[in-house]
Amino acid sequence: MTIDWSWIGDHTDDLTSLTVSHLQAALTAVFFGLLISLPLAVVAHRVRPLRGFLLGLSNVLFTIPSIAIFVLLLPISGLTRTTTVIGLTVYTLVVLLRNTVEGLDSVPAKTKEAAKAMGTRPLRTLLTVEFPLALPVIMAASGSPRSCRSRWCPSPPTSATAASASSSPTASSATSRPR
């Protein structure tokens, strides 16, 4: 079997239009998923009894096979792009909702208290303090602050790394200098 690489060059217009169509559907679904999951995550974070219900509901929706979602949506929205976007939006909810709740939980309580002490209102605290600090965890794939491996959310140093840092020559020379 040989690969005819000229087929790609002959069908560039088709490939480009299909790629753009795919990106439009996926980005639209993520946008609507964010519009739905961010307020639900704030509610789940602040009202603890609803947390289990909302996270459980998003998990149940995620377990529904895509063909079943499409069959359920066909009488409502027909065989259109809307059906695709609704199905993809349902699947984004489990990841976005869980990660946003985890991210909001990772914001230190003292930071929120400091914002409150400065006189910021709850909505402003949420938008200017909590969401920016929660963003690295929200963006992490697993939703756990312990597993974030990017430079934006470094893991806290363990006692072993702290001990090795204090025993390094640069650390010891910096602490032994006379003042």
Side-chain angles (χ1 to χ4, degrees):
M1 176 179 211
T2 60
I3 298 174
D4 183 16
W5 293 104
S6 65
W7 183 90
I8 294 173
D10 296 340
H11 295 89
T12 313
D13 294 337
D14 294 333
L15 292 172
T16 302
S17 68
L18 290 173
T19 302
V20 168
S21 175
H22 173 78
L23 287 174
Q24 287 174 341
L27 292 176
T28 304
V30 170
F31 174 75
F32 284 120
L34 282 170
L35 284 180
I36 295 168
S37 67
L38 289 179
L40 288 178
V42 171
V43 169
H45 173 69
R46 296 209 173 144
V47 183
R48 292 294 174 164
L50 288 178
R51 179 185 185 135
F53 173 75
L54 291 173
L55 291 175
L57 179 64
S58 71
N59 284 330
V60 167
L61 290 174
F62 190 70
T63 62
I64 300 172
S66 58
I67 191 74
I69 287 180
F70 293 140
V71 167
L72 291 172
L73 291 174
L74 279 175
I76 299 167
S77 58
L79 193 57
T80 63
R81 176 190 231 61
T82 305
T83 305
T84 306
V85 170
I86 292 172
L88 289 173
T89 300
V90 166
Y91 290 132
T92 65
L93 292 180
V94 70
V95 175
L96 294 174
L97 184 63
R98 183 188 68 226
N99 285 9
T100 306
V101 170
E102 288 288 330
L104 291 172
D105 284 346
S106 73
V107 176
K110 292 190 182 257
T111 306
K112 293 185 265 189
E113 289 173 16
K116 185 177 180 182
M118 291 174 54
T120 58
R121 297 182 185 269
L123 180 62
R124 184 171 174 95
T125 301
L126 178 71
L127 296 176
T128 61
V129 176
E130 291 182 66
F131 272 142
L133 291 176
L135 195 59
V137 177
I138 294 170
M139 298 300 289
S142 70
S144 171
R146 293 177 296 279
S147 65
C148 182
R149 300 286 185 236
S150 73
R151 65 185 177 112
W152 300 108
C153 53
S155 57
T158 61
S159 58
T161 58
S164 67
S166 64
S167 65
S168 70
T170 56
S172 61
S173 65
T175 56
S176 63
R177 283 189 200 157
R179 292 184 181 207

